[in-house]
Structure formats: C-alpha cells, structure tokens
Amino acid sequence: MPQWKDDAKPHGPIKMNNGWTVEVDANVCIGAAPCTAMAPKTFALNDDGKAGILTTVSEDDKETILNAARSCPVAAIIIKDETGKVIFPE
Ligand code: SF4
C-alpha cells in the first residue's frame, strides 16, 4: 500500500518543502497513470483508481512535478506556487 503524505486526503492538496502545493482533482482523474511514471516519488494510484500524493513528494523536483502534470491527459493535477497562484494548468 502506498504511503500517502496525508492519509486523510490522499489526493491533496499537499504542500511541498519547496513551497509549491500539489493536488489531484479526484473528480477529474481517470487513473490513466502517466503521472505515476513521470513522478513516481510523488504520485501512485489509490484504491479508488485515482492518483494520490506520496510521502516522498518533496523528493521530486519542480520540473519533474510539472512534467507529470503536463502528462496528465485530463489536466487533473493542479499546482500552485508559494504565493498560491495556479501555475498548472496554465
Ligand atoms: S495522469 Fe492524470 S488521470 Fe492519470 S492518474 Fe495521474 S492525475 Fe489521474
């Protein structure tokens, strides 16, 4: 079983050590899983078939997280910078 950063809300939002906030919109995610291949320390599929955010999220760098978000076919990954501004989807 994957180790979620926050068991109470596996899809986030989760604050990374770099100040970014990462969230998976579980209503949008279709479990297609390219995010888990692009950023395996950040995303894994939950029991509900949607991507969750792992306890190792801060081990992935910003570019890796952004590339994972870009790889999502339904733009379910939402990233905010340290000021709370949405930087993805653009
Ligand atoms: S790539 Fe998108 S749809 Fe696929 S599991 Fe990740 S968040 Fe969900």
Side-chain angles (χ1 to χ4, degrees):
M1 184 65 187
Q3 297 290 305
W4 306 120
K5 179 75 172 165
D6 185 341
D7 283 328
K9 43 176 183 150
H11 308 295
I14 292 295
K15 189 130 182 165
M16 294 177 66
N17 290 349
N18 65 21
W20 281 15
T21 301
V22 183
E23 180 174 10
V24 174
D25 186 338
N27 293 319
V28 175
C29 174
I30 55 171
C35 63
T36 66
M38 298 290 291
K41 290 179 178 171
T42 295
F43 301 107
L45 286 186
N46 193 6
D47 284 347
D48 62 5
K50 318 279 185 175
I53 299 166
L54 296 164
T55 189
T56 45
V57 54
S58 288
E59 294 179 23
D60 274 331
D61 62 24
K62 290 180 174 178
E63 198 56 30
T64 300
I65 304 262
L66 263 181
N67 282 336
R70 291 182 185 122
S71 78
C72 177
V74 291
I77 297 171
I78 302 153
I79 301 171
K80 295 178 183 169
D81 71 9
E82 47 279 359
T83 69
K85 178 172 169 273
V86 176
I87 52 177
F88 196 89
E90 292 161 304

